[in-house]
Amino acid sequence: MLELKVPPLGESIVEATVSRWTKKEGDSVALGETLVELETDKITVEVPAPKAGVLSRIHKVEGTVVKVDELIGEVDETKAGAAPSAPAPAATAPAAAPAAEPAAADSSTKSSPAARKNAAEAGVDINAVPGTGRGGVVSKPDVIEYVGKEREGSSQPLGTAAPAAAAAPAPAAPPKAVPTAPPRKPGERETREKLSTRRKKIAENLLASQANTAHLTTFNEIDMSNINALREKFRDRVEKENGVKLTFMPFFIKAACMALEKFPTVNAQLDGDSIIYRHYVNMGIAVASDQGLVVPNIKDADTKGILQLTAEMGALAKRARDGKLTMDDLTGGTFTITNGGVFGSLVSTPIINYPQVGILGLHKTQDRPVAVDGQVVIRPMMYVALSYNHQIVDGQQAVLFLVRIKELMEDPAGMLVA
C-alpha cells in the first residue's frame, strides 16, 4: 500500500485545500495520473499517482484543509489490473456537463479527467496532445497549452467551424476574471459557496495591507499620443523580427523602473523600525483569473530593455493563463503594476501589494479634450494612480515619482536610450 501525502507546496506555504479528487475509492489509476488537486493561496498543485494501481482509500475529502506531508489517500499497487471506472464528479461541478466528448483516448494516451474535460470543451482530440506528466500523462495545463498553440496557428477559436473565406482576426478580448457563480436550482433564491483557500488568502492580504499601511493615492494623467505613434511605427517590425507583440505595458514597466531608480523609497520595504532599500526591481504584474488575483513578477526588470521586457512579460502571461506559474514567479516582487484599463476602468485607487510600499494603477486610454498651447484639442489620455505607504513614502516623493512616469511616457525617447 502506497501512501499519498501532501507534497511540498512552495516557499512559506504550509497548507492547502483539497480542491478536487479526480478518482473515487476503488478506481483504477495509471502511473503519473493526477489523483487530486490541492489549492493553495497562489497555485493549484496536482498530486499524481506514484504507481499504477487502485485508489484504495481517500483520507481527506474535498474542502478539507491539509498540511505538507499529511496523509490524504492510499494507492494499492498490487491491484494494477483492475478495470478503470469513471472519475468522481467534482463537488462544485456545474449542473450540466457536456453531452458528448471527443473520441476516447486510445490505450497509449494517459490523461487526467481534468485534461479530458478541457479537451472536450475545446473540441480537440486528447490523443493529439503531448503529455508532460510522469510517464507521458496528459494534464490539464498540457491541454491548455496545446489549445493556445492551435489558436495562434489558426487565429480562430477551437471548437468552431472554419469560415468560408479568410477574415482578419478579431482583437483579443480581455481575460475573463469574473468568478463563476455556483449552480442554481430551480426556484432557489440564494446559494452558498465556501471561500477557496486562494480567495481567503487574497482577502487576508488585502486587509493586512489596509491595516498595516498608511494608505494614500495620488493621481496624474498621461497624453498617450507619442507612445501610440512609437508603438504603431515599430509594432509590425518588432513582431516580424522578434516574434512578440509590442504593447504599452513594457513601456510602463521601463518608465516605472527608471522612476524607482530616482525615488528608491517607493521600491523599499518597511521592516519594523528599519527601511530595506532594494537596489533591483522585481516588477510584479497583477493578473486577474477565474481563481483570483495573482501577481507574478519579472526579475531584475530594471536591467532589461523594452524588447526583453516584452518577451518576458509575454512568457509570464502565458504561464499564468496555462496555470504553470512557479513559486519563483510569484515571490520576491518589489513593486507592482495593475492595469484595470483592459476591463474598461477609467480611474481607481489600487490597494498596495503588502509588504511592498507602492503600486501603479493604469486605466483606459480615452479621447478627451485637453488644453495644449492655449488651444482645446482631442488627445488620447490615460489616468494613472500611485497608491503608496505614507509611513515611509512622503507625498512629495510619490507625486514626483508619478510625474517622472508621465514625462517618460509622453517623451519616450529617454527610455529607448537607457
Side-chain angles (χ1 to χ4, degrees):
M1 197 73 67
L2 299 174
E3 293 184 335
L4 201 63
K5 294 186 176 183
V6 177
L9 301 171
E11 178 186 351
S12 75
I13 300 179
V14 296
E15 66 179 25
T17 299
V18 179
S19 175
R20 188 170 77 97
W21 281 97
T22 64
K23 296 286 186 177
K24 303 189 303 290
E25 288 186 355
D27 282 359
S28 177
V29 300
L31 169 66
E33 186 175 11
T34 298
L35 298 183
V36 60
E37 295 174 355
L38 305 177
E39 185 182 83
T40 75
D41 61 311
K42 296 183 182 295
I43 57 176
T44 297
V45 178
E46 295 184 346
V47 181
K51 284 188 178 181
V54 168
L55 180 60
S56 58
R57 188 173 178 187
I58 292 174
H59 287 274
K60 302 296 181 181
V61 298
E62 293 174 3
T64 305
V65 176
V66 293
K67 297 187 180 301
V68 173
D69 209 36
E70 188 171 350
L71 181 65
I72 54 176
E74 296 178 58
V75 173
D76 188 348
E77 77 276 22
T78 65
K79 298 181 180 179
S85 59
T92 58
E101 292 189 1
D106 60 35
S107 58
S108 65
T109 303
K110 301 173 184 176
S111 56
S112 71
R116 292 194 291 273
K117 180 175 183 293
N118 256 56
E121 292 172 348
V124 301
D125 182 1
I126 192 71
N127 298 306
V129 181
T132 60
R134 191 181 304 172
V137 172
V138 178
S139 64
K140 178 179 175 181
D142 293 329
V143 175
I144 294 172
E145 182 173 6
Y146 178 82
V147 170
K149 288 180 179 177
E150 288 293 305
R151 282 181 179 159
E152 290 171 5
S154 66
S155 74
Q156 177 187 338
L158 291 172
T160 61
K176 295 180 180 178
V178 180
T180 305
R184 175 186 172 185
K185 297 178 182 178
E188 194 173 43
R189 291 173 61 84
E190 295 180 354
T191 55
R192 181 181 293 267
E193 183 180 54
K194 190 174 182 180
L195 282 175
S196 66
T197 296
R198 186 172 301 171
R199 178 55 60 186
K200 284 192 289 187
K201 193 64 178 179
I202 289 170
E204 290 171 5
N205 289 343
L206 293 175
L207 287 174
S209 178
Q210 295 281 36
N212 294 302
T213 64
H215 208 279
L216 191 61
T217 305
T218 186
F219 300 90
N220 213 314
E221 62 178 349
I222 295 174
D223 184 342
M224 299 288 286
S225 300
N226 288 337
I227 205 75
N228 280 351
L230 183 67
R231 178 173 172 265
E232 285 299 316
K233 181 178 180 180
F234 291 102
R235 181 172 57 181
D236 293 342
R237 176 176 153 190
V238 166
E239 187 168 357
K240 182 179 179 180
E241 295 181 359
N242 299 276
V244 294
K245 293 184 178 180
L246 189 61
T247 66
F248 299 113
M249 184 62 81
F251 293 98
F252 274 106
I253 294 173
K254 186 65 177 178
C257 287
M258 294 176 70
L260 289 170
E261 183 178 4
K262 189 170 184 179
F263 302 99
T265 307
V266 187
N267 192 49
Q269 179 179 332
L270 185 62
D271 184 22
D273 59 357
S274 300
I275 299 176
I276 301 173
Y277 290 96
R278 278 77 162 256
H279 307 296
Y280 60 92
V281 179
N282 289 345
M283 184 62 70
I285 308 296
V287 178
S289 69
D290 292 341
Q291 292 76 36
L293 185 72
V294 291
V295 189
N297 62 83
I298 298 174
K299 299 293 190 289
D300 296 312
D302 55 311
T303 66
K304 297 167 182 175
I306 297 293
L307 291 181
Q308 190 174 359
L309 290 172
T310 300
E312 292 199 22
M313 191 186 69
L316 204 62
K318 187 178 187 305
R319 290 201 296 276
R321 288 194 305 269
D322 295 350
K324 292 186 175 181
L325 288 172
T326 66
M327 289 307 301
D328 185 59
D329 291 328
L330 295 164
T331 54
T334 64
F335 184 81
T336 296
I337 298 178
T338 179
N339 184 8
V342 295
F343 305 110
S345 173
L346 190 59
V347 67
S348 66
T349 57
I351 296 180
I352 298 166
N353 185 19
Y354 185 78
Q356 296 173 21
V357 300
I359 181 170
L360 177 66
L362 310 181
H363 302 94
K364 180 182 178 181
T365 300
Q366 188 176 63
D367 286 344
R368 290 198 294 271
V370 294
V372 178
D373 298 327
Q375 300 293 320
V376 176
V377 296
I378 304 298
R379 292 290 177 86
M381 305 297 293
M382 177 195 286
Y383 290 120
V384 289
L386 176 72
S387 291
Y388 59 98
N389 185 352
H390 210 349
Q391 289 175 292
I392 64 170
V393 180
D394 295 333
Q396 180 189 35
Q397 294 172 315
V399 171
L400 292 177
F401 171 87
L402 212 50
V403 167
R404 180 59 178 152
I405 288 180
K406 173 183 170 70
E407 292 171 348
L408 290 167
M409 293 298 293
E410 291 186 344
D411 185 10
M415 289 189 284
L416 300 181
V417 298

